[in-house]
Amino acid sequence: MAGREKRKRAAALDGDEQRRQEEAATLLHRITGLVRWVVAEVAAGRSPSVALHRYQNYCASAAASPCACSYDVPVGTDVLSLLHRGSHASRLNVLLRVLLVVQQLLQQKKHCSKRDIYYMYPSIFQEQAVVDRAINDICVLFKCSRHNLNVVPVAKGLVMGWIRFLEGEKEVYCIMNVNAAFSIPVSIEAIKDVVSVADYILVVEKETGKRLPRYSDKKAYALSYTFLFYFSELIFQIFLRYLVEQLHLPVYCLVDADPYGFDILATYKFGSLQLAYDANFLRVPDIRWLGVFTSDFEDYCLPDCCLLHLSSEDRRKAEGILSRCYLHREAPQWRLELEAMLQKGVKFEIEALSACSISFLSEEYIPQKIKQGRHI
């Protein structure tokens, strides 16, 4: 029986690899065709133009106003022309330069980061954001995801706990040492043979997850990433979505009780506006907010010294999030929690729970909340 299961799994892996190779070959063929067409148009003295759809997965519409936001229907189109003057010509020029790099990556079956691409033509690109936009434009143009282009981000996340998988030829055996944290893979295509005996996935803001001790009776594993001011850790989202699809486990998220923690949580559930064209394939719609909540401060009798007052910037951030259409349509309870934070005018971080005891977070807060269903 075990041998039969192994053969089935191997056959499935072979099938996935063949599908990926076919998709890469098709994408390369389409890119080559577009590049040849642009060269031919310019050589003939014509102005080649490219139409790019615009996507919007959320907006700042009032609760009573219907909006046109969608995960898969474009809300408009930009037409970029190479020989016309203006920003669109520059945008198409950058797109084509980045596309040539992507073409070489696919032809040679190699990977590089968007930062590597920027340093190939720094005087032309001027700033990293220009390259980021070009990569997004290419994804929209060819209806693919960034990892399909062999453009990978620098690893910004950690995985630990009851899981093991292969990353290429490397074996990642978190399950042999659940207290050790491992960098998440930068290429999702390199992952295979994922096995876990966990009951759930726990996503933790910052590196708090590294300090969670082993759950001897609750088989769990945690994901953690290093928090940045702007949440842009695409590889972490891809990896999380991959695990959810492979393992079919419930997912809980633990973030700071402040507007920026909430924004991270919302990005997991609804996707980011910057990657709206790909949001439906990156988001985890069923993710559950485990904490920390503003109300936890009183519920767990935390000392006043753990509290911080919301700054004017915090308030602007929270008010901007509250205006997003999805909080009115799909997550009214989340909206109420954020409104309560604004009303009380305070915030605190996950680490504040350690004021109860060093092991309170892992031994009481997390397992009790999951067991009692105290999440939204």
Side-chain angles (χ1 to χ4, degrees):
M1 184 65 72
R4 187 183 306 166
E5 288 300 319
K6 287 182 71 174
R7 286 193 296 273
K8 283 184 180 179
R9 205 158 47 233
L13 289 173
D14 290 342
D16 289 343
E17 182 61 28
Q18 183 178 355
R19 175 182 55 78
R20 288 170 183 161
Q21 291 179 3
E22 290 173 353
E23 289 176 351
T26 300
L27 179 59
L28 179 58
H29 178 74
R30 293 175 62 200
I31 290 174
T32 303
L34 176 66
V35 171
R36 288 175 177 171
W37 172 77
V38 169
V39 171
E41 289 293 290
V42 172
R46 294 188 289 268
S47 176
S49 60
V50 174
L52 290 174
H53 290 315
R54 290 197 309 273
Y55 292 86
Q56 181 173 289
N57 58 327
Y58 67 82
C59 65
S61 296
S65 304
C67 64
C69 298
S70 169
Y71 286 105
D72 40 35
V73 178
V75 296
T77 303
D78 290 333
V79 179
L80 312 185
S81 182
L82 189 61
L83 299 185
H84 290 172
R85 293 182 178 180
S87 60
H88 278 190
S90 174
R91 184 174 167 188
L92 184 55
N93 179 30
V94 171
L95 185 154
L96 291 171
R97 285 182 181 272
V98 175
L99 193 60
L100 288 173
V101 176
V102 170
Q103 185 181 32
Q104 293 175 37
L105 291 174
L106 293 173
Q107 287 172 337
Q108 299 174 23
K109 297 182 179 180
K110 293 183 177 179
H111 296 76
C112 77
S113 71
K114 60 184 183 180
R115 195 68 178 164
D116 293 331
I117 296 176
Y118 167 75
Y119 280 115
M120 292 178 186
Y121 307 101
S123 61
I124 295 174
F125 295 145
Q126 298 295 318
E127 57 181 353
Q128 183 66 56
V130 172
V131 176
D132 294 350
R133 183 174 190 177
I135 292 171
N136 290 346
D137 286 345
I138 293 169
C139 290
V140 171
L141 184 61
F142 292 99
K143 294 182 174 61
C144 65
S145 296
R146 187 177 297 187
H147 65 90
N148 298 128
L149 306 179
N150 284 7
V151 177
V152 296
V154 178
K156 289 287 186 180
L158 301 169
V159 57
M160 61 185 295
W162 299 87
I163 184 173
R164 71 166 176 82
F165 55 88
L166 297 180
E167 181 186 359
E169 300 301 318
K170 183 176 73 173
E171 298 177 337
V172 182
Y173 274 77
C174 305
I175 204 167
M176 300 298 291
N177 185 358
V178 294
N179 292 316
F182 298 82
S183 296
I184 63 173
V186 296
S187 174
I188 206 70
E189 286 84 2
I191 306 173
K192 56 186 177 181
D193 199 18
V194 180
V195 176
S196 174
V197 291
D199 294 324
Y200 53 84
I201 298 172
L202 177 62
V203 179
V204 187
E205 183 184 352
K206 303 181 295 187
E207 296 194 15
T208 306
K210 288 173 67 176
R211 295 190 291 276
L212 295 176
R214 178 174 180 171
Y215 297 99
S216 58
D217 60 337
K218 297 176 182 67
K219 300 173 187 173
Y221 67 91
L223 297 171
S224 175
Y225 69 95
T226 301
F227 176 66
L228 299 178
F229 186 75
Y230 289 104
F231 178 63
S232 58
E233 305 310 327
L234 176 62
I235 187 59
F236 191 83
Q237 291 177 265
I238 295 172
F239 184 61
L240 176 60
R241 175 65 181 253
Y242 176 81
L243 290 184
V244 170
E245 292 178 346
Q246 292 292 315
L247 302 176
H248 306 290
L249 293 172
V251 186
Y252 301 95
C253 188
L254 187 66
V255 295
D256 289 336
D258 64 24
Y260 295 96
F262 187 94
D263 196 23
I264 292 167
L265 172 73
T267 300
Y268 285 130
K269 185 175 180 67
F270 301 105
S272 69
L273 189 60
Q274 182 186 10
L275 299 176
Y277 65 89
D278 215 15
N280 209 30
F281 301 99
L282 293 173
R283 69 192 191 107
V284 181
D286 296 326
I287 197 167
R288 306 167 193 185
W289 185 11
L290 190 64
V292 291
F293 304 134
T294 304
S295 56
D296 285 342
F297 179 79
E298 296 176 354
D299 291 345
Y300 293 98
C301 303
L302 299 179
D304 290 342
C305 61
C306 294
L307 280 182
L308 296 170
H309 291 288
L310 291 177
S311 66
S312 56
E313 188 175 334
D314 290 331
R315 288 187 173 277
R316 284 194 296 271
K317 179 73 172 178
E319 289 165 358
I321 297 173
L322 280 171
S323 68
R324 296 176 185 175
C325 59
Y326 56 61
L327 287 185
H328 298 276
R329 292 196 316 258
E330 301 177 53
Q333 286 184 289
W334 287 20
R335 177 170 53 85
L336 292 175
E337 279 291 332
L338 190 56
E339 287 174 345
M341 183 192 302
L342 261 181
Q343 184 179 7
K344 293 183 178 181
V346 294
K347 62 182 180 179
F348 64 97
E349 300 191 357
I350 299 171
E351 289 82 357
L353 293 167
S354 297
C356 298
S357 75
I358 293 297
S359 59
F360 176 78
L361 182 63
S362 59
E363 293 183 358
E364 296 185 47
Y365 184 88
I366 293 172
Q368 285 182 7
K369 277 209 161 190
I370 292 176
K371 184 178 180 179
Q372 297 168 8
R374 296 173 58 194
H375 47 74
I376 56 178

